[in-house]
Amino acid sequence: MSSRKKLIAGNWKMNKTSSDGVSLVAELVATIGKQSEVEVVVCPPFTALESAAKALDGSTLKLGAQNMHFEASGAFTGEVSAPMLRALFATHVILGHSERRALFGETDALVNKKVLAALKNQLRPILCVGETLAEREAGSTLSVVQTQLEAGLEGVGKDQAASMVIAYEPVWAIGTGKVATTEQAQEVHAFIRGLLTKHFTDVVAQKIRILYGGSMKPANAPELLAQKDIDGGPIGGASLEARSFVELVKAAAAVAVL
Ligand code: PEP
């Protein structure tokens, strides 16, 4: 049984106004705001971060952002920096999500700059990697994941690595209702753990949470979360309603106490 605490992170994407976000966080705080078996992070859009921070204050829930710029400040119209997120008490930031890569042209090199900037500012990066359907069908899943992971981690020191969270998110499973089989997911997670071992050391690799993302729902979560190297999940669609998100947190807690 792994000593890694499961992590469930709700990625709201471009959903919820500030007041909608407060209502959702209030429901989460009322039901799971005191549990500490699972690390729970909510990642609202930038406009809802401050109100969400206030609504979750005093609970065990943590706050994350969905993106950030790598510079601390300056002439970067429309961007938000790590110190700005820290000032709102954010602890996590999702980086390199496949939607950012595909729709906003984020490259591995850019994602890497963001990872380094997040770590420098004591934000835990949730570094997303994953293959497209065409890449899986071409048999290049592991090489795609390796390239994204190694590039994303360039320059990350052994002493910083335990703060990292890696999210394996097959692009074909995100928001599609198609979920990777437990075997497909565990195979890639074990491969990532192996790469982290080579890159950092076994001791460090055993501390790093590797999340599975892609249509995780209360019905499929227990089996996925029971896999040896699956330490939680970034949750898109199912994080937008308290009921399904809470059920996922409970599924993670049930595995944690087995
Ligand atoms: C995601 O976008 O990170 C994600 C996992 O989305 P969904 O749960 O909707 O597939």
Side-chain angles (χ1 to χ4, degrees):
M1 176 73 223
S2 137
S3 58
R4 296 179 295 275
K5 192 185 255 204
K6 298 275 190 219
L7 194 166
I8 297 288
N11 174 8
W12 297 0
K13 309 194 182 187
M14 196 172 72
N15 292 293
K16 309 239 175 247
T17 62
S18 165
S19 65
D20 293 341
V22 168
S23 309
L24 176 53
V25 171
E27 279 188 78
L28 298 178
V29 167
T31 43
I32 49 169
K34 288 202 184 345
Q35 70 79 40
S36 55
E37 292 156 286
V38 177
E39 190 169 337
V40 179
V41 185
V42 290
C43 304
F46 290 136
T47 48
L49 276 173
E50 185 163 16
S51 54
K54 287 184 185 142
L56 59 74
D57 190 29
S59 77
T60 56
L61 304 184
K62 295 181 176 166
L63 187 68
Q66 301 171 19
N67 181 30
M68 55 167 245
H69 195 272
F70 58 86
E71 291 289 357
S73 62
F76 301 100
T77 301
E79 294 289 327
V80 167
S81 73
M84 292 171 181
L85 298 177
R86 288 288 294 153
L88 294 176
F89 306 104
T91 50
H92 293 68
V93 59
I94 299 170
L95 295 174
H97 190 283
S98 62
E99 287 153 16
R100 303 269 348 143
R101 293 177 190 262
L103 305 174
F104 302 99
E106 293 203 6
T107 60
D108 284 335
L110 177 65
V111 173
N112 176 244
K113 284 186 180 181
K114 294 182 181 198
V115 166
L116 297 177
L119 289 170
K120 191 171 156 200
N121 287 280
Q122 288 79 49
L123 279 169
R124 279 179 183 267
I126 301 177
L127 169 62
C128 304
V129 297
E131 81 288 1
T132 62
L133 186 57
E135 288 163 341
R136 174 161 284 270
E137 285 174 350
S140 40
T141 297
L142 299 183
S143 65
V144 168
V145 165
Q146 178 164 5
T147 301
Q148 291 178 348
L149 186 76
E150 289 179 348
L153 292 175
E154 180 90 43
V156 173
K158 262 189 214 144
D159 51 330
Q160 300 174 301
S163 303
M164 294 288 313
V165 177
I166 308 297
Y168 168 56
E169 303 204 285
V171 179
W172 48 271
I174 294 180
T176 58
K178 285 188 196 141
V179 64
T181 63
T182 47
E183 293 75 20
Q184 285 173 327
Q186 170 57 28
E187 182 201 10
V188 180
H189 280 238
F191 176 71
I192 292 174
R193 182 98 50 218
L195 292 174
L196 295 173
T197 302
K198 267 196 224 145
H199 207 76
F200 297 116
T201 60
D202 184 46
V203 174
V204 172
Q206 290 302 327
K207 290 185 185 154
I208 300 177
R209 264 87 55 91
I210 308 175
L211 314 184
Y212 167 79
S215 299
M216 199 191 274
K217 301 277 182 296
N220 57 33
E223 205 183 325
L224 285 162
L225 293 170
Q227 300 305 303
K228 180 167 163 278
D229 290 294
I230 301 186
D231 304 315
I235 313 297
S239 72
L240 297 176
E241 278 190 18
R243 208 158 74 174
S244 43
F245 191 65
V246 166
E247 277 189 51
L248 287 167
V249 172
K250 287 186 177 162
V255 177
V257 295
L258 275 180

